[in-house]
Structures are given as structure tokens and as C-alpha cells.
Amino acid sequence: NITTAERNTIIGFNAGMSMTANSYNTAVGVFALDAADGSENNNTAIGYQAMSGLSNDDSDANVAVGYQALSTNVYGDGNTAVGYSALFALEPSDGLSYNTALGYQAGTAATSITQSVIIGAKAGKGVLTDPDNVTVSNSGLVIAAEDSGNMEICGISKNGKAFPILRVPKHKRSELTGPSFNPAGDRL
């Protein structure tokens, strides 16, 4: 099917099988990046069905490494999914971009997130909304600030569930930012 595509690397049964005018993509594995059929460029898909759903023109700069990593997302830019089924259920909707999920089944419960970071095996069951500031306590507790949603500073448990530490209601034009600890690590 390739007509005007250039500088792609494709290895595996039906990998990149729908490509026509795509460029600068890497697809390694059975059905890796197999639905990309237009101008999806600069994507890297490694693993069985990695990024297999991506088919919207101009969905660029995504990385999927692992069995079915980022496999249901049709639209999106700048997503990174590393691990078995990482970001598997990300909805095929426009604008679900700039997410990072690292770990075995990381973010498999995330369906409509953007600009989110999910780290750890099976992490992401209590997904945050637009987190952008993250810190880690001396005991290893991950703490993140949300920019929207419930306007919370949340802790993320070792089993990947988010729980509120602080909520600021009725401040829709505000943003929580910069959680950090004092040098002794005993005060947030």
C-alpha cells in the first residue's frame, strides 16, 4: 500500500500494513502500527498490536513499547506508553495527547485523559485530571497537583490509586501547583 511514504522501518507480520503516505515511523511486531493509513508521522510502535488503532492523519510523535501498548487510541499526539498493555483503553477521541504511562498495565483504566503521567505496575486506577507538578516524600509517597477536575493535591498509593490530601472547591479559575517538602521531609 505504500505510495509516497518515506524513511519508515517496518518489521513483522502486517506491521504498518495500511501505510500509504506516512513518514519517519518505526513499527516492529505483529500488527504494530497497522491501521496508520495517511499522514501519521514520527511514531514508534514496538510489540504485538502496539499502537494498532492509530489511524487519524496528523497523529504524530507517539511511542508505544509493549504488548498492546496504546493500541486503542485513534487520535493523539505525544503519548508515551511503555509496558504490557500500557494506556490500552485510551479512548479513540480527538485530543487525548501528551500522556505518559510506564509499567505493566499502567493506565489501562485511563480512557479520556490528557497531559497525565502514570507510573508503576497497574498504576492509574484512580486517574488524576491534568496533573503537572509531582513530588515524592522520603517514604516514597508520590504527591501530585491537579490543574482541573476536583482541584486536589493527591497522594498516589503503592497500588496506584489516587486519594485526596487537599481539595480546593469552587476555584475554577485557580491552579494548584508546586507541592514540595521542607528539607527535613516532615512538612508538605
Side-chain angles (χ1 to χ4, degrees), residues 6-188:
E6 62 179 359
R7 295 180 174 86
N8 293 293
T9 302
I10 303 169
I11 300 170
F13 178 75
N14 284 339
M17 71 179 191
S18 299
M19 286 188 183
T20 57
N22 312 69
S23 299
Y24 306 103
N25 294 295
T26 301
V28 178
V30 175
F31 299 112
L33 200 58
D34 66 323
D37 59 359
S39 297
E40 303 86 2
N41 301 313
N42 303 302
N43 296 293
T44 301
I46 300 172
Y48 177 79
Q49 291 184 339
M51 210 182 306
S52 62
L54 194 72
S55 63
N56 183 50
D57 290 354
D58 302 321
S59 293
D60 301 326
N62 295 287
V63 176
V65 178
Y67 175 89
Q68 295 183 333
L70 198 60
S71 67
T72 61
N73 187 242
V74 174
Y75 304 96
D77 296 314
N79 291 299
T80 302
V82 178
Y84 180 98
S85 295
L87 287 178
F88 172 79
L90 197 60
E91 292 287 335
S93 301
D94 192 15
L96 301 180
S97 300
Y98 312 112
N99 298 295
T100 300
L102 305 172
Y104 173 83
Q105 294 184 340
T108 56
T111 58
S112 58
I113 59 173
T114 190
Q115 298 179 356
S116 296
V117 177
I118 302 169
I119 299 173
K122 297 186 179 183
K125 294 189 181 197
V127 178
L128 304 176
T129 306
D130 296 331
D132 65 356
N133 301 118
V134 177
T135 189
V136 180
S137 73
N138 289 343
S139 66
L141 177 66
V142 176
I143 297 172
E146 290 183 312
D147 280 354
S148 56
N150 292 329
M151 289 290 295
E152 295 175 336
I153 293 180
C154 295
I156 302 171
S157 68
K158 291 182 181 181
N159 65 2
K161 294 193 178 189
F163 58 91
I165 294 173
L166 168 75
R167 180 177 287 165
V168 183
K170 299 180 183 177
H171 285 273
K172 293 184 180 191
R173 294 185 179 155
S174 299
E175 177 178 332
L176 294 173
T177 184
S180 61
F181 287 91
N182 67 347
D186 57 2
R187 195 172 291 158
L188 176 63

